């Protein structure tokens, strides 16, 4: 068992065998969804979150191992490596501790201490540190030569060496770190020249702000750092300097006298000039990383909820991108999401062709047998929904009307993906198509858009972008594989996220489907160019073929388990299809009879669940929603009103709710529930329909404060 396994198991409180087997599976090229779903026996039933943690920690340790190689090479080339130092480096897996060990040997720019060493003043520094000299000036006289002009210069150079040694000493650094952990304060001040500028107004809360760093929430820290990046704020992290200097003096200064005074001055200089700025930078980076992690977690959870939003399913849909001056762009889609027709209507001011628009909508409803209508939630959304409801008031077989989030639709409509899909249509038509398709299947449509543009994040442009992308890609992959993908209708973009595939194999599948017709079995995937046995093993269980000859091809049962199901059917004197449809036959199966060295109870239990409800979509059913018809603008709001709303975004400080006034209101975390909650996701989910009470309307800052718990009370 290697050191990585032991450390990861200890860090995550997991069984070492489970960690070791998971690492082996990852090294073999298995994806996280595949391992979680089809290798439960080897991992002890670890879920996707745990496997992702193992993978991320493993990658981090690999980076640390590479860093150790660089450090050992550098120190060895300097001729300063010894057995004790090598042992310490070998045993160290803390990045901070490793850098502390390396710091005295780390190549650096030509410091004041380095200049003093080149002048031969290191022995004088050692003499001063021993603090036995009664007359340090006399001792310094021996070092006055060359560039060292006098005794004062010699002593100053020796102090520079002591100051740098103090700043690079591991124990000194740990002492100061400890003080920062206990007492660090983050302070934000406005840059006076920018105070009255328009761009500074949004940072007014932080013009003169100070709080303990450990209590600073991620959204406040990221807001301050953004203000700093824009040149509006100055941020500092400080601790009790006098306490730190006093502690260091107690460690380095022994007794009283002139020599001790020189050492004391050097210690203070080392702290203020070198050590304190270094630890401040370290804590600034750590706090930013922690804030990034929290913001990424919020974004991940929101994205997961958004991707797993309830789908309408395969219905003929009218998609409407609403607007006033430029009109409403209307598209009609078939049940597979293909564009059948598009046109613009102008029911609103300033054009006001309401009668003509009514006739056109009624004709489209009849001509294309529309079953549902999706209206974007942007400008003129409520007015357009009122217009559509008027049109439908006398329409037989009234289609259901839904309001759909437009976030990211404009990004999609101008993207390469949209141009490939609709090369002959303009961006307005593509945007309306995206709105219509989002109603049918949010997951299939949203995977085409950069997650950062979907509008459910918190400071997503301020966090570590590579870490954000890695995390969001994992989330999209998890959601796609959780739901499963129709092999014969999925776009290249959706197939890209299927376990074991990727852009190239996804395109090859689409090309094969175009050239040879629809797939009738999963086994045909093996004929797709470059889709070898390893890729087939990873992807097959997540791809569905409705109407396939083998009903298991439309389930989450992996092809490697087909023989087990077939044996179960034979033992029950029936075929697989009959076994799947006959509850009594399934109940009679004793799964323990089918346990082998490779297949255990976890896999067999999953198989039985799948036989009961093959290919079950884990997403909920879609619900229609109506805003309060009497409230359409912020000016219509009054404190105390109770209104219906839709949760549009969740942050770690609360949830934003659309109440139909073109400005989302905030339900602070303290107003979400009648109990203490640490995470808003404990109380609400994205796109949830809620009832909220208006508790404040700030017209100057255009802010609306809402409460859910007061409605519940």
């Amino acid at each position: 068992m290697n050191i990585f396994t032991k450390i990861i198991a200890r860090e995550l409180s997991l069984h070492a065998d489970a960690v070791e087997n998971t690492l082996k599976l990852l090294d073999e090229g298995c994806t996280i969804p595949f391992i979680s779903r089809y290798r439960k026996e080897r991992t002890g039933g670890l879920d996707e979150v745990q496997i992702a943690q193992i993978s991320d920690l493993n990658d981090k340790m690999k980076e640390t191992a590479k860093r150790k190689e660089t450090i050992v090479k550098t120190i060895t080339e300097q001729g300063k490596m010894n057995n004790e130092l090598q042992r310490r480096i070998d045993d160290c897996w803390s990045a901070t501790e490793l850098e502390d060990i390396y710091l005295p040997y780390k190549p650096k720019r030509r410091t004041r201490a380095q200049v003093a060493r080149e002048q031969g003043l290191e022995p004088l520094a050692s003499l001063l540190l021993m603090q036995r000299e009664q007359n340090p000036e006399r001792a310094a006289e021996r070092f006055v030569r060359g560039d060292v002009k006098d005794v004062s210069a010699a002593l100053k150079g020796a102090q520079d060496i002591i100051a740098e040694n103090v700043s690079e000493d591991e124990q000194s650094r740990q002492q100061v770190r400890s003080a920062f952990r206990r007492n660090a304060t983050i302070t934000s001040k406005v840059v006076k020249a920018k105070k009255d500028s328009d761009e500074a107004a949004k940072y007014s809360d932080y013009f003169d702000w100070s709080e303990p760093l450990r209590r600073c929430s991620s959204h406040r820290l990221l807001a301050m750092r953004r203000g700093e990046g824009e040149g509006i704020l100055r941020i500092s992290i400080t601790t009790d300097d006098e306490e730190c200097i006093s502690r260091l003096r107690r460690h380095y200064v022994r007794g009283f006298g002139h020599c001790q005074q020189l050492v004391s001055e050097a210690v203070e200089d080392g702290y203020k000039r070198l050590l304190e700025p270094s630890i401040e930078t370290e804590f600034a980076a750590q706090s930013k990383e922690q804030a990034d992690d929290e913001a990424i977690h919020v974004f991940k959870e929101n994205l997961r909820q958004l991707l797993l939003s309830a789908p309408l399913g395969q219905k003929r849909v009218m998609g409407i991108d609403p607007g006033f001056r430029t009109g409403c762009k209307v598209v009609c889609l078939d049940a597979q999401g293909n564009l059948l027709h598009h046109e613009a209507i102008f029911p609103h001011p300033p054009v006001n062709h309401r009668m003509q628009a009514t006739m056109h909508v009624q004709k489209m409803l009849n001509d294309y047998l529309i079953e549902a209508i999706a209206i974007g939630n942007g400008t003129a959304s409520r007015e357009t929904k009122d217009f559509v409801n008027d049109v439908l008031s006398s329409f037989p077989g009234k289609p259901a009307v839904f309001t759909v989030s437009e976030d990211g639709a404009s990004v999609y409509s101008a993207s390469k993906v949209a141009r490939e899909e609709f090369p002959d249509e303009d961006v307005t038509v593509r945007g309306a198509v995206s709105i219509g398709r989002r109603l049918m299947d949010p997951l299939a449509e949203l995977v085409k858009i950069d997650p950062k543009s979907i509008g459910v994040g918190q400071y997503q442009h301020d966090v570590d972008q590579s870490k954000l992308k890695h995390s969001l890609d994992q989330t999209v992959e998890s959601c796609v594989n959780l739901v499963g993908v129709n092999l014969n209708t999925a776009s290249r973009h959706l197939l890209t996220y299927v376990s074991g595939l990727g852009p190239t194999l996804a395109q090859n599948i689409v090309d094969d489907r175009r050239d040879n017709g629809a797939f009738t079995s999963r086994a045909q995937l093996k004929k797709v160019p470059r889709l070898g046995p390893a890729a087939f093993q990873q992807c097959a269980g997540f791809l569905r073929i409705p109407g396939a000859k083998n009903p298991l091809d439309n389930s989450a049962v992996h092809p490697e388990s087909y023989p087990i199901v077939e044996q179960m059917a034979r033992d029950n004197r029936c075929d697989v299809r009959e076994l799947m449809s006959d509850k009594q036959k399934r109940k009679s199966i004793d799964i323990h009879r089918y346990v082998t060295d490779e297949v255990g109870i976890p896999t067999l239990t999953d198989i039985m669940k799948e036989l009961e409800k093959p290919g079950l979509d884990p997403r909920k059913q879609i619900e229609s929603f109506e805003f309060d018809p009497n409230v359409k603008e912020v000016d219509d709001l009054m404190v105390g009103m109770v209104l219906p709303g839709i949760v549009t975004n969740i942050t770690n400080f609360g949830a934003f709710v659309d109440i139909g006034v073109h400005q989302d209101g905030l339900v602070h975390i303290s107003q979400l529930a009648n109990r203490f909650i640490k995470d808003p996701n404990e109380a609400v989910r994205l796109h949830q329909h809620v009832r909220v009470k208006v508790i404040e309307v700030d017209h100057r800052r255009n802010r609306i404060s809402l409460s859910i718990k007061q409605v519940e009370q």
Side-chain angles (χ1 to χ4, degrees):
M1 190 173 293
N2 64 38
I3 186 66
F4 283 22
T5 298
K6 293 177 181 177
I7 293 174
I8 293 171
R10 184 175 66 245
E11 190 83 14
L12 301 178
S13 300
L14 298 173
H15 197 281
D17 288 342
V19 172
E20 186 167 34
N21 287 336
T22 300
L23 291 175
K24 286 178 182 176
L25 288 164
L26 289 167
D27 287 342
E28 291 166 11
C30 297
T31 67
I32 292 172
F34 176 81
I35 296 170
S36 171
R37 182 70 177 79
Y38 296 113
R39 291 295 179 265
K40 291 179 178 177
E41 284 81 2
R42 290 184 64 181
T43 68
L46 297 181
D47 60 28
E48 284 193 11
V49 173
Q50 292 168 312
I51 296 168
Q53 288 174 332
I54 291 171
S55 177
D56 291 345
L57 200 47
N58 186 49
D59 290 342
K60 193 173 180 181
M61 292 188 68
K62 285 180 179 177
E63 288 179 14
T64 303
K66 285 184 180 178
R67 179 65 175 155
K68 286 163 78 167
E69 289 176 8
T70 302
I71 288 171
V72 169
K73 182 181 177 185
T74 303
I75 298 174
T76 302
E77 287 173 351
Q78 294 174 9
K80 297 177 180 178
M81 181 59 74
N82 57 54
N83 292 337
E84 175 60 20
L85 186 55
Q86 181 72 60
R87 183 194 63 76
R88 292 194 64 204
I89 294 171
D90 289 342
D91 292 345
C92 179
W93 290 98
S94 161
T96 301
E97 185 182 337
L98 187 63
E99 294 303 324
D100 277 357
I101 295 172
Y102 180 42
L103 189 57
Y105 311 95
K106 189 175 184 178
K108 52 180 79 72
R109 62 182 175 79
R110 202 156 173 264
T111 63
R112 282 161 45 175
Q114 185 61 35
V115 171
R117 289 189 184 97
E118 291 169 3
Q119 293 171 345
L121 294 173
E122 191 146 29
L124 179 58
S126 299
L127 280 171
L128 293 181
L129 269 176
M130 291 170 66
Q131 298 167 57
R132 294 174 183 168
E133 292 289 334
Q134 298 298 317
N135 191 336
E137 283 82 1
R138 185 180 301 164
E141 288 175 358
R142 302 198 307 271
F143 297 90
V144 177
R145 58 182 179 271
D147 292 334
V148 183
K149 302 298 184 185
D150 51 31
V151 166
S152 177
L155 291 173
K156 187 69 183 72
Q159 284 182 304
D160 287 340
I161 294 172
I162 293 170
E164 186 170 276
N165 288 344
V166 168
S167 74
E168 293 181 349
D169 178 71
E170 288 180 58
Q171 190 172 346
S172 299
R173 296 180 72 82
Q174 287 296 352
Q175 277 188 2
V176 176
R177 272 196 200 99
S178 178
F180 267 78
R181 284 192 200 97
R182 291 193 312 273
N183 303 317
T185 298
I186 184 166
T187 302
S188 170
K189 300 283 186 185
V190 66
V191 175
K192 289 184 179 179
K194 298 286 187 74
K195 184 175 182 179
D196 298 321
S197 63
D198 291 339
E199 61 265 28
K202 60 187 174 184
Y203 298 110
S204 58
D205 290 345
Y206 304 108
F207 281 2
D208 188 14
W209 178 269
S210 183
E211 68 176 315
L213 180 62
R214 66 178 183 273
R215 293 182 188 166
C216 184
S217 64
S218 67
H219 65 274
R220 287 201 298 274
L221 190 139
L222 290 172
M224 285 187 270
R225 289 298 180 194
R226 179 187 286 180
E228 182 182 45
E230 294 176 8
I232 294 166
L233 303 175
R234 284 201 182 96
I235 313 299
S236 62
I237 297 174
T238 57
T239 190
D240 186 335
D241 290 342
E242 289 307 314
E243 180 197 344
C244 289
I245 293 169
S246 177
R247 282 175 173 270
L248 292 172
R249 280 178 175 148
R250 286 201 296 271
H251 180 70
Y252 286 98
V253 182
R254 295 182 294 279
F256 301 94
H258 189 26
C259 196
Q260 285 81 355
Q261 179 62 34
L262 290 172
V263 173
S264 178
E265 290 171 0
V267 167
E268 182 171 347
D269 175 53
Y271 173 78
K272 289 184 175 179
R273 181 169 56 87
L274 301 171
L275 184 48
E276 192 274 342
S278 172
I279 301 300
E280 179 185 356
T281 300
E282 187 179 296
F283 271 72
Q286 284 179 1
S287 60
K288 171 65 165 58
E289 184 179 8
Q290 185 177 350
D292 283 1
D293 289 344
E294 287 187 34
I296 290 170
H297 173 73
V298 168
F299 201 152
K300 267 179 59 175
E301 289 305 307
N302 284 351
L303 179 62
R304 176 177 294 278
Q305 292 178 34
L306 187 65
L307 293 175
L308 296 178
S309 297
L312 179 68
Q314 293 190 328
K315 306 281 187 184
R316 293 181 294 278
V317 169
M318 175 183 287
I320 304 178
D321 186 357
F324 288 115
R325 183 181 57 81
T326 57
C328 300
K329 311 304 180 293
V330 185
V331 297
C332 298
L333 310 175
D334 67 16
Q336 284 71 46
N338 299 309
L339 177 62
L340 303 174
H341 173 78
H342 68 84
E343 63 179 89
I345 58 173
F346 298 84
H348 310 308
V351 180
N352 273 327
H353 288 169
R354 195 173 181 90
M355 184 61 72
Q356 185 185 62
T358 299
M359 294 169 59
H360 280 245
V361 170
Q362 287 178 335
K363 186 175 188 306
M364 284 184 276
L365 291 170
N366 282 316
D367 289 352
Y368 299 102
L369 304 175
I370 298 300
E371 298 172 276
I373 300 174
I375 301 172
N377 69 342
T379 304
S381 174
R382 291 204 58 184
E383 292 79 1
T384 302
K385 189 169 185 180
D386 290 343
F387 161 72
V388 168
N389 284 331
D390 284 346
V391 172
L392 295 177
S393 61
S394 59
F395 192 84
K398 177 180 176 181
V401 181
F402 300 90
T403 302
V404 176
S405 170
E406 286 184 13
D407 286 329
S410 60
V411 174
Y412 161 77
S413 61
S415 69
K416 181 183 176 184
V417 174
R419 292 196 300 273
E420 289 173 353
E421 284 195 279
F422 303 105
D424 302 324
E425 308 297 347
D426 67 19
V427 291
T428 59
V429 174
R430 297 171 191 157
V433 170
S434 181
I435 289 168
R437 286 177 172 176
R438 285 190 194 193
L439 176 63
M440 300 166 71
D441 190 341
L443 178 61
E445 192 61 21
L446 290 171
V447 293
K448 302 174 186 176
I449 304 170
D450 180 352
K452 287 186 293 183
S453 302
I454 295 177
V456 294
Q458 175 189 344
Y459 297 101
Q460 60 263 37
H461 300 290
D462 300 301
V463 303
D464 184 315
Q465 295 300 294
S466 61
K467 190 182 286 188
L468 176 66
K469 183 180 186 307
H470 171 70
S471 184
L472 297 186
D473 283 348
Q474 276 190 347
T475 302
V476 176
E477 182 183 43
S478 170
C479 292
V480 169
N481 291 288
L482 175 67
V483 172
V485 170
N486 186 326
L487 181 56
N488 286 320
T489 61
S491 67
R492 170 173 61 87
H493 318 287
L494 189 57
L495 288 167
T496 295
Y497 287 101
V498 172
S499 168
L501 298 182
T504 302
L505 289 178
Q507 185 61 57
N508 290 353
I509 288 173
V510 171
D511 292 344
D512 187 279
R513 199 169 64 195
R514 181 196 62 218
D515 296 340
N516 302 312
F519 289 89
T520 58
S521 75
R522 282 170 168 168
Q524 290 175 338
L525 280 166
K526 296 176 181 178
K527 297 179 181 178
V528 172
R530 300 180 66 180
L531 202 158
F536 178 80
Q537 181 195 53
Q538 296 297 306
C539 74
F542 302 104
L543 296 168
R544 311 278 186 269
I545 306 176
K549 182 178 178 181
N550 186 340
L552 295 176
D553 282 345
N554 192 37
S555 75
V557 177
H558 197 281
E560 65 189 10
S561 296
Y562 285 9
I564 297 171
V565 180
E566 290 161 359
Q567 185 61 51
M568 289 177 176
R570 283 194 296 272
D571 291 345
N572 275 272
R573 297 182 178 83
C574 65
D575 60 20
V576 171
R577 193 177 298 277
E578 188 179 349
L579 183 67
M580 293 172 74
S581 62
D582 192 325
K583 183 178 179 180
Q584 291 304 316
K585 289 187 183 299
R586 292 196 306 274
K587 282 182 70 175
S588 69
I589 294 173
D590 177 8
I591 60 174
H592 294 85
R593 291 178 54 198
Y594 302 94
V595 172
T596 66
D597 291 340
E598 295 296 322
V599 180
I601 295 298
T603 294
L604 292 166
T605 302
D606 284 347
I607 289 173
M608 295 308 297
K609 288 179 182 175
E610 198 60 28
L611 294 180
E612 182 181 355
K613 295 180 178 178
L616 178 68
D617 193 322
R619 296 173 290 183
K620 296 185 176 181
Q621 288 191 322
I622 196 166
E623 301 173 351
S624 59
F625 176 85
E626 296 289 340
F627 290 115
D628 188 312
N630 301 312
V631 176
K632 296 184 178 180
E633 305 291 339
V634 174
D635 289 341
D636 297 333
L637 296 175
M638 289 189 294
V639 172
M641 278 183 165
V642 175
L643 303 168
I646 299 176
V647 178
T648 57
N649 198 2
I650 300 173
T651 70
N652 60 7
F653 56 86
F656 288 93
V657 177
D658 183 0
I659 52 175
V661 295
H662 312 294
Q663 173 65 42
D664 289 355
L666 172 65
V667 183
H668 189 267
I669 188 169
S670 63
Q671 293 294 323
L672 280 171
N674 287 307
R675 67 186 192 283
F676 173 77
I677 56 171
K678 190 175 181 180
D679 180 354
N681 283 289
E682 296 174 36
V684 291
R685 67 179 188 280
L686 208 61
H687 290 178
Q688 181 179 343
H689 299 170
V690 295
R691 291 182 63 76
V692 294
K693 184 176 182 179
V694 180
I695 55 177
E696 184 183 358
V697 182
D698 184 339
H699 291 279
R700 186 179 66 83
R701 295 197 292 180
N702 204 28
R703 292 183 179 178
I704 304 164
S705 298
L706 306 170
S707 173
I708 290 176
K709 79 174 186 181
Q710 291 187 30
V711 176
E712 293 174 351
Q713 286 171 347

